[in-house]
Amino acid sequence: MTIKEIQSIIKDFESSPLMTLELEMEGFKLKLSKNKTNEVVTPEKVVETPQDNKLQSTHKPVQLNPQNLIKSPLVGTFYAASTPTGKPFVEVGQTVKKGQVVCIIEAMKIMNEITSPYDGIIKEVMVKNGDVIGFNQALMRVGDANEK
Amino acid sequence: MKNKILIANRGEIAVRVIRACKELGIETVAVYSEADETSLHVKLADEAICIGGARSKESYLNMNSVLSAAISTGCNAIHPGYGFLSENAQFVEMVERCNITFIGPSSKTIAAIGDKASARAIAKANGVPIVEGSDGIVENAQEGLKIAKKIGYPVMMKASSGGGGRGISIVRSDEEFLNAFERTSLEAETSFGDKSLYIEKFIESPRHIEIQIMADHKGNVVHLFERDCSMQRRNQKMIEETPSPILNELLRRKIGAAAVKLAKAINYVNAGTMEFLVDPKGNFYFIEMNTRIQVEHPITEMITGVDLVKEQIKVGYGKELSFKQHNLKINGHAIECRINAEHAMKGFIPTPGKITNILFPGGIGVRLDTHIYPGYEIPPFYDSMIAKLIVHAPTRLEAIKKMRVALEQFVVDGIHTNIEYQYLIMHNPDFIKGQYDTGFIARFNALVEAENRE
């Protein structure tokens, strides 16, 4: 690995959307990262060079940060359960998977199921049964297991 | 059920309606797009709910979101303001089906008279003079050409579902016609989603005279006199005044009576405006009806003392009008200047941005309808009107002088506005003489630009 090659890698890395890059070869290890908080790491990009050295960006699993909010795509009324006396779809502390129904927003007499865009644990429910919900309003926060 | 109104609009008219509701003791719900979070109407209403993204289509024109907001917040009425969904018959029908009061006429009335081609037919059937033109929509360019030849040039082609001065073209010869037809159809399609056009004879140097109508459910239909809106730039009004300098008492009564007759014929309820063209010989022709409150309604309020928005709300809730025709009188003279965030010297390009400071004009007979405040950031997504400056005085000349002083004292820092431009017009000899037509602004601009270049 020559200095020029390292400089070229740094230049490419800077202009790419990647946040971190780890390169390990025999006798050589390079780690680059951009310092930005609360940024979800973009998935891997595998680039193969003719010399058979694989440049591989490491990717961490989608970094959950405290700001992973489930927002309402609709204007309407929030319901925590599917029936007035029923058990809520989710509760604080519960694990959810991406695509899992977490609540209902009633708009124009139609009950719309709202699903979580993330895997994780419900950390906070910001609204209560019967609340009027505006467009893009935060309903719940999803975090990961390591978060306090 | 307590009265609660959702105001399906933004900007100065939302503020206007909220004020009227508060004076009547009615709870208010404001709706706003993501770009309007800091808007004044949001701060003034009792409740506010975000209904969508910045683009009007995603928010203020989103029928489901607006209706859902009304239902969720427990409103029993919706006031549509002007523009947006105010003349959308489909939306009004949805509101009616949800058993919510729409502050305006019925969806059927809006469908019938809001369509400009069919409105002409209704006027003709009721003996109200109309501009000679096509009987309804023109099917294609060839048919249009035949009609144009029959009427005689110059002719005007207009979008049937149009408004706001768009989808209009003037054609002066056979050669221009086909091209203009295609172009205007396309413009109509993109602006209003309907490419239908109709054709009218183009009246040279017309005055645009409109009559304010107010009607209740008991069949009491009155007119609140005229507004002269001839000061237009590209078919968009800039200055309005009442009474019109060119109407004598006889003509005023004739046009007023025609407007009332037409309103009664379609069983009109609530506020509306009939637009007419008046030619230099004093002939008047009905062109269209607007089934909503209009931007320039304040000047009518100043000379009659009637709060039109309050009357709208009262009629909406089933009350009768508190006055009859003979109770209405013209008192003094009123002028309105529309204040826009635009650069008058650079082709009137809109100038959104942050307002750093404002000094408001005031005094007897000075009224400002606006939603701006110091520190307010004007979003780029909506029309550029930021305020309406209205004056009222015993005579026309005093009103003009009052407007000059008010414009002088109205300071808006941080963005460009047309305040100085309006100020120039208030000193223009033709305007002062009351001798102007819909071509005035175009000629005035040419003058100003020529001076600028020197």
Side-chain angles (χ1 to χ4, degrees):
Chain A
M1 183 66 57
T2 66
I3 297 289
K4 265 211 157 57
E5 279 172 320
I6 297 177
Q7 283 175 336
S8 160
I9 294 173
I10 293 176
K11 195 161 157 238
D12 285 342
F13 173 72
E14 267 190 325
S15 58
S16 83
L18 298 174
M19 296 307 291
T20 60
L21 181 85
E22 264 185 43
L23 172 60
E24 215 177 303
M25 287 154 60
E26 215 165 76
F28 177 82
K29 198 168 166 185
L30 174 70
K31 186 169 177 183
L32 301 171
S33 86
K34 289 175 187 163
N35 217 4
K36 246 185 181 182
T37 51
N38 292 344
E39 192 77 7
V40 173
V41 175
T42 55
E44 70 280 22
K45 236 163 120 177
V46 177
V47 177
E48 275 179 82
T49 68
Q51 294 109 348
D52 225 8
N53 285 336
K54 273 195 186 172
L55 274 177
Q56 221 175 22
S57 67
T58 56
H59 75 279
K60 302 206 171 114
V62 173
Q63 204 128 53
L64 290 178
N65 58 65
Q67 297 317 309
N68 274 338
L69 300 168
I70 302 178
K71 295 182 182 176
S72 175
L74 299 163
V75 178
T77 308
F78 172 86
Y79 295 119
S82 59
T83 63
T85 49
K87 191 170 169 302
F89 286 103
V90 293
E91 278 162 352
V92 173
Q94 187 175 333
T95 306
V96 291
K97 282 202 159 341
K98 182 174 166 174
Q100 182 173 342
V101 176
V102 295
C103 68
I104 284 181
I105 300 285
E106 180 195 351
M108 311 274 290
K109 302 297 177 197
I110 294 175
M111 305 296 174
N112 303 276
E113 291 181 338
I114 308 299
T115 59
S116 171
Y118 320 103
D119 290 333
I121 298 179
I122 302 287
K123 292 291 177 182
E124 198 187 334
V125 177
M126 285 91 149
V127 292
K128 55 185 203 298
N129 240 356
D131 274 358
V132 176
I133 305 296
F135 176 77
N136 249 5
Q137 186 173 337
L139 304 171
M140 301 181 187
R141 185 164 61 82
V142 177
D144 68 19
N146 303 327
E147 207 193 300
K148 291 208 185 74
Chain B
M1 186 188 189
K2 245 187 113 186
N3 285 339
K4 194 170 180 183
I5 297 184
L6 181 139
I7 295 98
N9 215 296
R10 63 174 301 281
E12 67 86 19
I13 192 63
V15 172
R16 173 78 185 88
V17 176
I18 291 171
R19 277 192 183 132
C21 290
K22 283 187 182 275
E23 288 179 30
L24 292 170
I26 298 173
E27 275 181 56
T28 53
V29 175
V31 294
Y32 62 96
S33 72
E34 286 183 310
D36 270 342
E37 240 182 276
T38 57
S39 198
L40 187 60
H41 74 288
V42 174
K43 300 177 196 287
L44 295 180
D46 297 305
E47 282 175 64
I49 174 165
C50 180
I51 51 166
R55 310 211 177 278
S56 302
K57 212 170 56 142
E58 297 166 30
S59 46
Y60 300 104
L61 288 173
N62 187 329
M63 296 188 238
N64 282 334
S65 292
V66 172
L67 205 34
S68 188
I71 295 169
S72 309
T73 52
C75 293
N76 62 1
I78 293 179
H79 193 300
Y82 51 67
F84 291 132
L85 296 169
S86 62
E87 292 176 290
N88 186 315
Q90 186 194 348
F91 173 69
V92 180
E93 203 191 328
M94 283 165 72
V95 174
E96 288 163 353
R97 279 204 254 124
C98 291
N99 280 327
I100 295 177
T101 298
F102 179 77
I103 311 274
S106 71
S107 57
K108 285 199 177 59
T109 305
I110 292 175
I113 201 87
D115 175 287
K116 306 196 186 305
S118 94
R120 281 167 46 85
I122 297 175
K124 191 172 176 184
N126 280 281
V128 175
I130 56 171
V131 182
E132 211 185 329
S134 61
D135 274 327
I137 294 173
V138 175
E139 292 302 319
N140 54 54
Q142 291 308 327
E143 188 196 317
L145 189 55
K146 266 193 246 150
I147 295 173
K149 281 185 203 276
K150 193 166 110 180
I151 305 174
Y153 292 103
V155 299
M156 206 170 189
M157 51 183 75
K158 297 163 96 168
S160 196
S161 301
R166 287 184 207 92
I168 299 182
S169 290
I170 300 170
V171 179
R172 299 184 182 275
S173 68
D174 285 343
E175 290 77 44
E176 292 175 32
F177 190 91
L178 294 171
N179 242 347
F181 194 89
E182 299 306 323
R183 187 178 22 93
T184 313
S185 298
L186 188 57
E187 196 184 321
E189 176 83 58
T190 41
S191 298
F192 313 109
D194 174 12
K195 67 174 173 44
S196 315
L197 303 179
Y198 65 101
I199 294 174
E200 281 178 352
K201 179 148 184 74
F202 176 64
I203 301 188
E204 306 269 14
S205 311
R207 299 289 285 239
H208 174 120
I209 304 288
E210 61 188 34
I211 303 289
Q212 177 70 53
I213 292 286
M214 196 67 213
D216 64 23
H217 295 272
K218 289 283 175 75
N220 182 10
V221 183
V222 303
H223 75 81
L224 292 101
F225 313 109
E226 79 277 12
R227 292 185 288 259
D228 192 322
C229 308
S230 309
M231 299 289 281
Q232 298 176 11
R233 189 189 145 255
R234 300 207 181 145
N235 296 309
Q236 307 216 288
K237 299 166 185 171
M238 286 191 68
I239 297 171
E240 304 100 348
E241 64 173 316
T242 180
S244 168
I246 59 139
L247 286 192
N248 57 36
E249 195 50 42
L250 183 60
L251 200 43
R252 174 170 296 119
R253 279 190 209 204
K254 271 197 200 166
I255 304 183
V260 170
K261 181 170 185 210
L262 193 47
K264 283 192 165 148
I266 58 173
N267 295 317
Y268 197 79
V269 177
N270 215 295
T273 296
M274 306 278 186
E275 295 189 349
F276 296 87
L277 288 182
V278 180
D279 72 18
K281 296 201 189 95
N283 299 309
F284 64 93
Y285 309 93
F286 168 79
I287 44 173
E288 64 186 59
M289 178 174 192
N290 297 321
T291 56
R292 52 174 168 81
I293 194 77
Q294 303 225 174
V295 173
E296 58 272 22
H297 74 272
I299 55 174
T300 297
E301 295 183 320
M302 303 308 273
I303 59 157
T304 59
V306 172
D307 185 322
L308 286 169
V309 177
K310 269 190 186 169
E311 293 301 322
Q312 275 194 296
I313 295 170
K314 287 185 198 167
V315 167
Y317 278 121
K319 288 197 155 45
E320 291 175 39
L321 286 179
S322 51
F323 46 83
K324 295 218 168 2
Q325 189 68 62
H326 66 262
N327 298 121
L328 297 164
K329 299 268 181 295
I330 296 179
N331 173 24
H333 198 99
I335 304 176
E336 171 182 280
C337 281
R338 296 196 190 189
I339 308 298
N340 303 323
E342 61 193 10
H343 202 321
M345 290 301 118
K346 293 224 165 104
F348 294 90
I349 86 170
T351 52
K354 188 169 183 147
I355 297 177
T356 50
N357 200 7
I358 308 180
L359 286 179
F360 295 97
I364 187 169
V366 177
R367 167 177 169 178
L368 192 61
D369 279 22
T370 183
H371 60 287
I372 63 174
Y373 55 86
Y376 175 58
E377 179 111 31
I378 301 174
F381 305 100
Y382 315 108
D383 73 73
S384 58
M385 189 176 76
I386 57 170
K388 291 156 18 188
L389 181 52
I390 301 120
V391 297
H392 181 224
T395 67
R396 185 170 186 269
L397 199 50
E398 283 172 278
I400 292 176
K401 289 181 183 177
K402 197 180 279 286
M403 181 63 86
R404 288 176 189 165
V405 174
L407 287 165
E408 270 174 32
Q409 299 186 350
F410 190 15
V411 178
V412 181
D413 273 344
I415 55 161
H416 288 285
T417 69
N418 63 343
I419 291 175
E420 277 183 35
Y421 181 84
Q422 297 281 34
Y423 187 71
L424 285 178
I425 297 180
M426 288 300 125
H427 289 79
N428 176 277
D430 285 337
F431 177 75
I432 296 170
K433 283 187 242 169
Q435 286 166 10
Y436 57 87
D437 56 51
T438 51
F440 174 93
I441 295 285
R443 295 189 298 266
F444 183 76
N445 281 354
L447 246 178
V448 173
E449 274 160 34
E451 301 243 332
N452 244 21
R453 267 177 265 134
E454 283 161 21

